Amino acid sequence: MDIVAEASERELVRQHHYAGSFPAARLSVGLYRKTGVAPAALVGVGVFSVPM
């Protein structure tokens, strides 16, 4: 896990979340999958919003 840039997290949430929108985020943490020698891929986002 790592803190992620808003642009990459926003696009992932828009594409895969049932709401289809991105909340007002205070902090976002990315979940990455690393397999073999390929670069880690962002596969999920935990968004902490107001109110939490």
Side-chain angles (χ1 to χ4, degrees):
M1 283 201 255
D2 200 2
I3 296 173
V4 293
E6 187 173 325
S8 57
E9 69 192 25
R10 184 177 297 274
E11 186 59 31
L12 184 82
V13 170
R14 277 194 197 137
Q15 288 179 4
H16 300 287
H17 194 273
Y18 65 91
S21 63
F22 191 78
R26 305 237 343 146
L27 175 70
S28 298
V29 180
L31 176 63
Y32 293 87
R33 176 180 296 160
K34 174 116 173 96
T35 56
V37 296
L42 181 64
V43 295
V45 178
V47 180
F48 299 93
S49 185
V50 178
M52 252 186 238

